[in-house]
């Protein structure tokens, strides 16, 4: 097998391609989040209903990821990713012309389905084509594209909507994403180490069930669900708080607050170093504590403290997610790609559920009620961490018992 090596021209092209791909995916996915306030006003709907513009996309993405990963085994890695990005970008532009909220939701559902072809295949392509010692840096650039896309999608759409309305905002994101798709298509080399296989639904279903029989993996899947559910619930409705009295901030300023999510890039790197020194369990608990402190601090009415609280929450969230997601790959003994895709499925399902249920708490009990719901999510995450620690400790003692017999 011939691998792509770091320092070569083809490595730089591949890394840049996946940076553009990550940007494309997450800009399209999250561009609706800062527009929820406009949807509420224009379509005369509740904040909970407006949240469906993001929730319905993430649940469609979550379900479709389980399918696209298997389809790429038959159709090839690059074709699935390219057509996925092209269709999603085109649908994003069409979403801007939605005459009603129901039509907008139809387009956002289709966007979620088509977007799934990129994240479900990207890591498989990189793992097959990049030499092992260069894989970490290539994966890091792809994840950076994810993070920057998620921030830019929110920031650009929020700013454009403040000046030109949500139609132009979504169309703008779609056009930028089309450009990113063309860069990806042109720059990414075809697969060299991929060989197509027959699609075996029976084996796929059996392996997914096997992963769900592992209580340790179930704990990690539950954590992913709760973590992104908490994150999306918090950031979905913070805009409603900050644009209302006593803050009365403009949509543009609120959109710039999303730049705080870039903290996650630094949090993930620092967390990785701390895990190497102190172990996964301790650092996961530390990050969950930081997340909990951050969400509790958002109850403070002072604006600066609220922003600092969002920063703390973001730091802890990304640190916790990076540990949980990497732990899945280490714990799964076989079919690691499927184990990871199952984690992502529940991760994005948590986004849909947390974002929508959070709207019910927000509409019924206000900001205090929403924060109470998120605290409940995080308490369950602490319980799952404790259960996981017991499972790991028990597994460590099993060999010692057998040897002493």
């Amino acid at each position: 097998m011939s691998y792509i090596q770091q320092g070569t021209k083809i490595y730089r092209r591949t890394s840049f391609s996946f940076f553009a791909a990550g940007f494309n995916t997450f800009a399209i996915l999250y561009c609706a989040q800062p527009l929820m306030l406009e949807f509420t006003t224009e379509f005369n709907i509740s904040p909970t209903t407006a949240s469906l513009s993001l929730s319905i996309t993430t649940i469609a993405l979550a379900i479709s990821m389980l399918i696209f990963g298997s389809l790429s085994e038959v159709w090839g890695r690059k074709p699935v990713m390219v057509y996925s990005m092209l269709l999603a970008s085109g649908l994003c532009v069409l979403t801007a012309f939605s005459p009603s909220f129901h039509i907008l939701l139809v387009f956002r559902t289709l966007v979620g389905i088509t977007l799934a072809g990129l994240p479900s295949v990207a890591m498989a392509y990189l793992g097959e084509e990049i030499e092992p010692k260069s894989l970490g840096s290539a994966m890091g650039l792809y994840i950076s594209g994810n993070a920057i896309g998620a921030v830019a999608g929110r920031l650009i759409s929020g700013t454009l909507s403040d000046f030109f309305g949500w139609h132009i905002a979504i169309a703008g994101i779609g056009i930028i994403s089309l450009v990113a798709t063309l860069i990806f298509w042109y720059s990414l080399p075809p697969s060299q180490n991929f060989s197509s296989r027959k699609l075996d639904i029976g084996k796929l279903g059996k392996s997914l069930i096997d992963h769900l029989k592992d209580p340790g993996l179930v704990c990690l899947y539950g954590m992913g669900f709760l973590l992104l559910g908490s994150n999306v619930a918090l950031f979905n409705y913070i805009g409603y708080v900050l644009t209302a009295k006593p803050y009365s901030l403009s949509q543009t300023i609120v959109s710039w607050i999303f730049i705080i999510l870039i903290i996650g890039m630094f949090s993930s790197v620092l967390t990785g170093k701390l895990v190497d020194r102190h172990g996964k369990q301790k650092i996961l608990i530390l990050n969950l504590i930081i997340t909990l402190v951050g969400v509790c601090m958002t109850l403070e009415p002072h604006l600066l403290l609220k922003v600092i609280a969002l920063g703390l929450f973001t730091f802890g969230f990304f640190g916790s997610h990076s540990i949980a997601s990497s732990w899945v790959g280490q714990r799964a003994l076989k079919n690691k790609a499927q184990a990871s895709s199952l984690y992502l499925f529940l991760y994005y399902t948590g986004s849909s559920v947390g974002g929508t249920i959070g709207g019910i708490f927000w509409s019924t009990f206000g900001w205090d009620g929403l924060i109470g719901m998120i605290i409940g999510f995080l308490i369950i995450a602490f319980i799952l961490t404790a259960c996981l620690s017991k499972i790991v400790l028990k597994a460590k003692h099993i060999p010692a018992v057998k040897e002493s017999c």
Side-chain angles (χ1 to χ4, degrees):
M1 289 187 178
S2 61
Y3 290 106
I4 298 171
Q5 297 181 337
Q6 192 169 9
T8 61
K9 183 178 180 181
I10 194 170
Y11 174 86
R12 289 191 292 271
R13 284 178 56 194
T14 303
S15 297
F16 183 64
S17 297
F18 276 99
F19 178 85
F23 181 96
N24 168 292
T25 304
F26 286 87
I28 292 175
L29 180 62
Y30 286 109
C31 70
Q33 194 169 43
L35 306 179
M36 285 171 48
L37 190 59
E38 281 207 48
F39 296 153
T40 301
T41 304
E42 179 162 335
F43 297 115
N44 193 27
I45 55 177
S46 69
T48 305
T49 305
S51 74
L52 292 174
S53 59
L54 177 59
S55 297
I56 205 164
T57 312
T58 51
I59 194 66
L61 172 72
I63 295 169
S64 302
M65 282 182 69
L66 295 176
I67 300 168
F68 273 99
S70 299
L71 289 179
S72 74
E73 301 287 353
V74 181
W75 295 345
R77 308 298 192 204
K78 183 175 179 179
V80 168
M81 290 188 288
V82 169
Y83 290 126
S84 167
M85 291 170 64
L86 273 175
L87 286 169
S89 301
L91 286 166
C92 185
V93 173
L94 290 175
T95 305
F97 298 95
S98 301
S100 69
F101 190 69
H102 293 95
I103 299 298
L104 185 144
L105 290 183
V106 170
F107 277 121
R108 289 291 292 173
T109 302
L110 294 173
V111 163
I113 293 169
T114 53
L115 271 181
L118 191 281
S120 62
V121 179
M123 291 187 181
Y125 177 98
L126 289 170
E128 290 166 351
E129 305 300 326
I130 305 292
E131 66 170 347
K133 66 179 182 181
S134 304
L135 182 58
S137 59
M139 196 74 78
L141 196 56
Y142 167 60
I143 292 171
S144 296
N146 293 351
I148 293 172
V151 173
R154 292 168 166 111
L155 196 155
I156 294 170
S157 66
T159 303
L160 286 176
S161 71
D162 204 17
F163 289 96
F164 307 106
W166 69 266
H167 301 276
I168 297 295
I170 292 181
I173 293 294
I175 292 167
I176 292 169
S177 296
L178 279 171
V179 173
T181 300
L182 294 174
I183 292 171
F184 179 81
W185 193 350
Y186 173 77
S187 302
L188 186 71
S191 298
Q192 298 297 318
N193 302 322
F194 168 79
S195 56
S196 62
R197 308 168 197 171
K198 289 184 178 179
L199 184 61
D200 192 331
I201 299 296
K203 283 186 178 179
L204 174 65
K206 184 180 181 301
S207 63
L208 290 176
I209 292 170
D210 287 343
H211 291 315
L212 291 172
K213 288 180 180 178
D214 181 340
L217 285 175
V218 170
C219 288
L220 291 167
Y221 295 152
M223 267 186 269
F225 178 96
L226 295 163
L227 285 168
L228 192 58
S230 300
N231 178 283
V232 170
L234 186 70
F235 282 98
N236 267 4
Y237 304 102
I238 189 67
Y240 288 94
V241 175
L242 297 181
T243 54
K245 293 180 180 180
Y247 309 108
S248 301
L249 300 180
S250 70
Q251 182 65 52
T252 300
I253 293 174
V254 171
S255 298
W256 276 93
I257 287 175
F258 285 113
I259 205 168
I260 207 165
L261 292 168
I262 289 179
I263 289 173
M265 295 171 61
F266 304 101
S267 169
S268 299
V269 173
L270 178 59
T271 294
K273 293 178 180 178
L274 290 174
V275 164
D276 291 339
R277 294 178 191 171
H278 305 288
K280 292 185 286 289
Q281 288 110 311
K282 288 181 181 178
I283 305 306
L284 178 56
I285 290 171
L286 176 62
N287 275 288
L288 286 173
I289 290 171
I290 293 171
T291 309
L292 183 60
V293 170
V295 79
C296 290
M297 278 181 61
T298 63
L299 294 170
E300 170 60 45
H302 194 281
L303 181 59
L304 179 59
L305 288 177
K306 247 185 176 54
V307 173
I308 292 171
L310 291 174
L312 280 173
F313 175 89
T314 301
F315 185 96
F317 161 75
F318 277 101
S320 300
H321 166 53
S322 66
I323 294 172
S325 58
S326 62
W327 204 337
V328 168
Q330 293 170 345
R331 184 165 181 85
L333 299 177
K334 56 183 180 179
N335 297 316
K336 292 178 181 287
Q338 288 181 355
S340 296
S341 69
L342 195 53
Y343 174 85
L344 290 173
F345 165 72
L346 285 158
Y347 181 69
Y348 287 113
T349 300
S351 166
S352 299
V353 174
T356 304
I357 294 177
I360 297 172
F361 276 85
W362 161 249
S363 299
T364 308
F365 306 108
W367 187 249
D368 290 357
L370 175 67
I371 297 306
M373 185 206 83
I374 296 173
I375 290 171
F377 274 28
L378 294 176
I379 288 171
I380 298 171
F382 275 107
I383 294 169
L384 290 175
T385 305
C387 292
L388 181 60
S389 298
K390 286 185 179 181
I391 291 166
V392 170
L393 189 62
K394 184 178 179 181
K396 284 180 179 178
H397 284 93
I398 290 174
V401 172
K402 287 184 177 179
E403 289 171 7
S404 63
C405 292

